[in-house]
Amino acid sequence: MTVIAPLPSFTAMNLPNLLTLLRLFLVPVIFYALAKGLFAVALIIFLVAAITDALDGWIARHYHLQTCLGAVLDPVADKLLVVTTVITLTWLQRIPLWMTVAIISRDLLIVGGGLLYLLLIGKFSVRPTLLSKWNTVLQFIVIVLVLLQAACHWRIPLLPAFALAFLMAVVSGGQYVWVWSRKAIAQEGDASES
């Protein structure tokens, strides 16, 4: 017998999830603005998207509006926003390739590691670490600085910010590998004892 999962009910479409959807819809708009060289417009849209990221999490926690849909959509929206913006700014030669490679490699490592864990070990829950949250904040700050420099022609020394974002991506990715490896070893130990 085939069981079809029901579509999310309207209650899943609460304010935090609507804000997350707005962030998803802003991703192609930011790409278009960047591709057209409209850096001031891209900066404003990116700031709006960043505000929705802060708001949706705060509203969901404060008013107990967390949903399974939001738990999936929020990190997807964050990753799409950051990766699309960073790749486009790299293409426009505003962000160095080595920083972009570190950011994308970290995300691929986390997704690939999660899928591998699921296939080899089984069900798991992913909660972003504090370091991961700081990594996202830092990436947002770097993108804002790059867009400010492009829009306002300010002389902002960006190399230290790029180096810090690179280092944070490497350390944060390493932390996920460490945490998941320890969980896998602990579960294998539990399975061999039973």
Side-chain angles (χ1 to χ4, degrees):
M1 182 169 107
T2 304
V3 178
I4 299 173
L7 292 172
S9 66
F10 185 73
T11 56
M13 272 307 139
N14 56 27
L15 182 57
N17 291 345
L18 289 172
L19 288 170
T20 302
L21 284 175
L22 172 62
R23 190 159 68 258
L24 274 172
F25 290 131
L26 289 176
V27 170
V29 180
I30 291 171
F31 171 77
Y32 180 80
L34 288 173
K36 291 292 184 181
L38 304 171
F39 295 110
V41 173
L43 174 62
I44 292 166
I45 296 168
F46 188 84
L47 287 172
V48 168
I51 290 167
T52 68
D53 184 34
L55 271 180
D56 66 12
W58 182 83
I59 293 169
R61 284 187 303 276
H62 191 72
Y63 294 101
H64 307 290
L65 295 173
Q66 295 101 330
T67 64
C68 291
L69 179 64
V72 172
L73 276 183
D74 186 62
V76 168
D78 288 348
K79 296 303 169 204
L80 278 175
L81 177 65
V82 168
V83 168
T84 301
T85 307
V86 166
I87 288 175
T88 309
L89 287 169
T90 303
W91 172 59
L92 295 171
Q93 299 181 343
R94 299 277 178 177
I95 287 180
L97 182 61
W98 50 267
M99 190 189 99
T100 303
V101 168
I103 290 171
I104 293 170
S105 297
R106 174 195 175 271
D107 291 343
L108 290 175
L109 177 75
I110 291 171
V111 171
L115 290 174
L116 190 63
Y117 190 98
L118 185 64
L119 290 171
L120 298 177
I121 308 294
K123 187 178 176 185
F124 69 101
S125 63
V126 179
R127 290 185 178 215
T129 64
L130 185 60
L131 191 59
S132 179
K133 290 178 182 180
W134 279 109
N135 179 61
T136 301
V137 169
L138 180 60
Q139 289 173 358
F140 276 38
I141 290 169
V142 169
I143 291 168
V144 167
L145 289 174
V146 170
L147 291 174
L148 267 172
Q149 185 180 61
C152 304
H153 307 289
W154 291 351
R155 288 283 186 188
I156 303 171
L158 293 174
L159 187 57
F162 294 153
L164 187 58
F166 175 87
L167 182 63
M168 185 71 90
V170 171
V171 172
S172 174
Q175 183 188 35
Y176 273 105
V177 171
W178 171 255
V179 168
W180 283 354
S181 298
R182 291 193 58 175
K183 281 185 182 181
I185 291 167
Q187 284 198 348
E188 272 190 10
D190 291 345
S192 64
E193 288 173 10
S194 56

